[in-house]
């Protein structure tokens, strides 16, 4: 994607979301539930927790090191499944009867040593504090994005997709549509004109349901009580609505598909509107830059857009395992910047310390705040107080930019 995005006369762009009962999202929530439980016991816990689920079985795997304490992982798994809504054996998967297998080991000492004491600190033979000493938990590149299409500075297709799946969960849990089951998806296609949203072209909703309900009733309810409640009326111009296009969606959840942690990385981020480094988030403590640096990149991008230096910003940060300083930091504004690229680079260097230890300090990431992000997106969450969503640097950036 380049500046031509803003120049194209008209094009369509689609993003999707999934509900908390989707098999992959069940796994993300369990992974982050384990992470939160470990951080409650030990804020410096090292956690890499992966989960898979299928008919009647949840497998929890990974590498976890904590200084002291114990987490009853099987009970945590069952409680998470209960909260999601798999409470009836008739669903084919429920919190009481599913088996739980746990296979946890400690973090590799080779990884631990390089993360605890970064290359810079080893060379200087000094490690005064974590900001100076902590190395990146892995190599790779992380991407953050922001744009002015919505008040929360997210791409419109992604924002609407998440709101739709949240609404599907709401009407299921409050009994308004009691025939719905936990597994579901949304997809939104937006027509753009010269880089700006013009209308919602198509809304696609698929949701698991009880056997006795008719397709026509499901379609009517999901259009009227979900889609038209969520999508702003001024964007509903010749909009096409598609509901459960396969015809029936009675078999769902882990019975219908095996779930796996980290398999919905575009749902978790920007719906394909921005590039992606490839690393998943859930189940990883903040020393893993796959997670913490992706949050920092969003923080940078959002503050740049909030300050008015550009209407679109994509920030990439790269790291080497065991090294504190980023290998590279780059900002792409797709031709929407009103100050020079060099000035933007200098602003980022001035206002953001992107070493892993500094990110953890500045965003206060050693807290059990992660399970709430494991469904309905990690970014643009106006319902949550997430530190990487704050625009606390925008005033200073605007002043430096002369705005």
């Amino acid at each position: 994607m380049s500046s031509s995005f803003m120049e194209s006369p008209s094009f369509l762009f689609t993003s999707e979301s999934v509900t908390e009962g989707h098999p992959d999202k069940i796994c993300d929530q369990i992974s982050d539930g384990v992470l939160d439980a470990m951080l409650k016991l030990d804020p410096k816990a090292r956690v890499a927790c992966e989960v898979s689920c299928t008919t009647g079985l949840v497998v929890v795997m990974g590498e976890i090191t904590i200084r002291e304490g114990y987490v009853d992982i099987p009970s945590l798994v069952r409680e998470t499944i209960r909260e999601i809504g798999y409470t009836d054996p008739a669903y084919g998967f429920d919190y009481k009867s599913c088996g739980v297998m746990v296979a946890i080991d400690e973090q590799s000492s080779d990884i631990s040593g390089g993360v605890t004491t970064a290359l810079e600190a080893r060379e200087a033979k000094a490690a005064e504090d974590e900001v100076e000493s902590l190395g990146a938990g892995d190599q790779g590149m992380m991407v953050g994005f922001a744009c002015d299409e919505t008040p929360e500075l997210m791409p419109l297709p992604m924002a609407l997709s998440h709101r739709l799946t949240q609404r599907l969960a709401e009407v299921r849990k409050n009994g308004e549509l009691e025939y719905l089951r936990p597994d579901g998806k949304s997809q939104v296609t937006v027509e753009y004109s010269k880089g700006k949203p013009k209308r919602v072209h198509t809304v696609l909703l698929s949701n698991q349901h009880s056997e006795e309900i008719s397709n026509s009733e499901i379609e009517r309810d999901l259009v009227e009580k979900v889609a038209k409640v969520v999508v702003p009326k001024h964007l509903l111009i010749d909009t096409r609505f598609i509901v459960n296009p396969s015809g029936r969606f009675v078999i769902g959840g882990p019975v219908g598909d095996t779930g796996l942690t980290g398999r919905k990385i575009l749902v978790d981020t920007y719906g394909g509107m921005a590039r992606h480094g490839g690393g998943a988030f859930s189940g990883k403590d903040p020393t893993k830059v796959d997670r913490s640096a992706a949050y920092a990149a969003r923080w940078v991008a959002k503050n740049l857009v909030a300050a008015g230096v550009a209407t679109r910003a994509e920030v990439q940060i790269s790291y080497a395992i065991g090294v504190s300083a980023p290998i590279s930091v780059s900002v792409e504004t797709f031709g929407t910047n009103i100050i020079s690229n060099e000035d933007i680079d200098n602003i980022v260097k001035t206002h953001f310390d992107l070493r892993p230890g500094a990110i953890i300090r500045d965003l206060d990431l050693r807290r059990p705040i992660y399970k709430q992000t494991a469904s309905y997106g990690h970014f643009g969450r106006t319902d949550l107080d997430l530190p990487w969503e704050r625009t606390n640097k925008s005033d200073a950036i605007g002043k430096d930019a002369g705005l």
Side-chain angles (χ1 to χ4, degrees):
M1 195 180 300
S2 66
S3 59
S4 61
F5 177 91
M6 307 302 297
E7 299 164 0
S8 177
S10 181
F11 64 93
L12 302 177
F13 194 91
T14 302
S15 296
E16 69 159 349
S17 179
V18 297
T19 64
E20 63 208 65
H22 185 282
D24 295 331
K25 277 293 148 198
I26 295 172
C27 296
D28 285 343
Q29 289 165 91
I30 293 171
S31 291
D32 273 339
V34 171
L35 171 62
D36 281 356
M38 296 297 174
L39 291 176
K40 285 179 183 178
L41 291 173
D42 179 4
K44 292 191 176 183
R46 297 283 172 82
V47 180
C49 180
E50 312 288 345
V51 175
S52 183
C53 66
T54 188
T55 305
L57 180 64
V58 177
V59 182
V60 183
M61 306 159 282
E63 296 77 45
I64 297 176
T65 302
I66 60 172
R67 289 173 290 190
E68 60 180 339
Y70 169 75
V71 172
D72 183 351
I73 291 178
S75 294
L76 185 153
V77 169
R78 296 186 192 281
E79 177 59 20
T80 301
I81 295 169
R82 186 196 67 78
E83 290 172 353
I84 291 168
Y86 286 103
T87 57
D88 190 336
Y91 300 168
F93 181 86
D94 74 283
Y95 77 104
K96 288 184 178 179
S97 66
C98 70
V100 180
M101 182 183 297
V102 179
I104 298 292
D105 203 350
E106 289 190 348
Q107 184 182 58
S108 158
S109 59
D110 292 343
I111 295 174
S112 178
V115 173
T116 301
T117 308
L119 175 66
E120 296 93 328
R122 296 196 301 273
E123 289 177 342
K125 297 182 180 180
E128 296 180 2
D129 58 49
E130 185 178 63
V131 172
E132 299 297 329
S133 67
L134 195 69
D138 204 348
Q139 72 172 49
M141 58 282 185
M142 296 79 211
V143 176
F145 181 80
C147 62
D148 66 351
E149 293 177 15
T150 64
E152 62 269 35
L153 303 184
M154 285 288 286
L156 182 63
M158 187 77 269
L160 290 178
S161 294
H162 283 320
R163 291 174 201 164
L164 287 166
T165 49
Q166 286 176 306
R167 177 64 179 168
L168 286 172
E170 179 185 0
V171 296
R172 169 175 61 89
K173 290 181 173 182
N174 68 18
E176 188 174 349
L177 298 179
E178 61 183 5
Y179 59 80
L180 294 182
R181 299 293 181 254
D183 192 2
K185 289 185 172 185
S186 70
Q187 185 172 288
V188 176
T189 301
V190 172
E191 181 181 347
Y192 284 78
S193 179
K194 295 184 178 179
K196 298 295 183 182
K198 180 179 178 182
R199 69 182 182 103
V200 171
H201 176 278
T202 302
V203 174
L204 169 58
L205 294 170
S206 295
N207 208 105
Q208 184 187 11
H209 55 83
S210 60
E211 196 153 4
E212 65 275 6
I213 197 75
S214 69
N215 291 349
S216 59
E217 188 173 353
I218 296 169
E219 182 171 0
R220 181 198 67 207
D221 285 345
L222 294 196
V223 171
E224 296 299 325
K225 297 181 179 181
V226 178
K228 290 185 177 179
V229 170
V230 168
V231 181
K233 189 174 181 179
H234 72 276
L235 293 173
L236 293 174
I237 304 170
D238 297 326
T239 301
R240 182 186 184 193
F241 299 97
I242 305 173
V243 175
N244 281 5
S246 67
R248 300 290 281 168
F249 192 179
V250 175
I251 300 171
V255 178
D257 290 291
T258 297
L260 187 65
T261 296
R263 203 158 53 183
K264 286 289 177 283
I265 58 176
L266 293 184
V267 171
D268 285 342
T269 54
Y270 310 101
M273 185 68 78
R275 285 166 281 205
H276 197 292
F281 300 155
S282 291
K284 297 177 181 178
D285 75 78
T287 66
K288 278 76 172 174
V289 285
D290 275 346
R291 178 169 223 156
S292 55
Y295 291 165
R298 162 66 175 174
W299 186 40
V300 174
K302 188 172 185 182
N303 275 273
L304 289 173
V305 173
V309 301
T311 59
R312 305 177 76 82
E314 182 185 83
V315 177
Q316 186 201 70
I317 314 169
S318 70
Y319 294 89
I321 188 169
V323 179
S324 179
I327 302 301
S328 66
V329 180
S330 64
V331 181
E332 168 66 74
T333 57
F334 309 97
T336 70
N337 51 306
I338 63 171
I339 62 175
S340 70
N341 293 331
E342 183 180 2
D343 286 344
I344 291 175
D345 290 343
N346 288 333
I347 282 172
V348 172
K349 290 176 184 176
T350 299
H351 293 280
F352 299 95
D353 187 342
L354 297 174
R355 295 174 297 168
I359 292 170
I360 292 170
R361 176 199 64 196
D362 293 342
L363 297 180
D364 195 11
L365 296 181
R366 291 201 181 277
R367 297 176 291 142
I369 59 172
Y370 298 105
K371 185 180 177 183
Q372 62 185 343
T373 68
S375 51
Y376 311 118
H378 294 245
F379 307 118
R381 295 293 298 275
T382 56
D383 56 323
L384 304 176
D385 181 19
L386 300 175
W388 52 88
E389 289 297 306
R390 297 171 189 163
T391 54
N392 53 329
K393 300 275 192 177
S394 60
D395 287 346
I397 289 172
K399 184 177 180 180
D400 278 6
L403 303 177

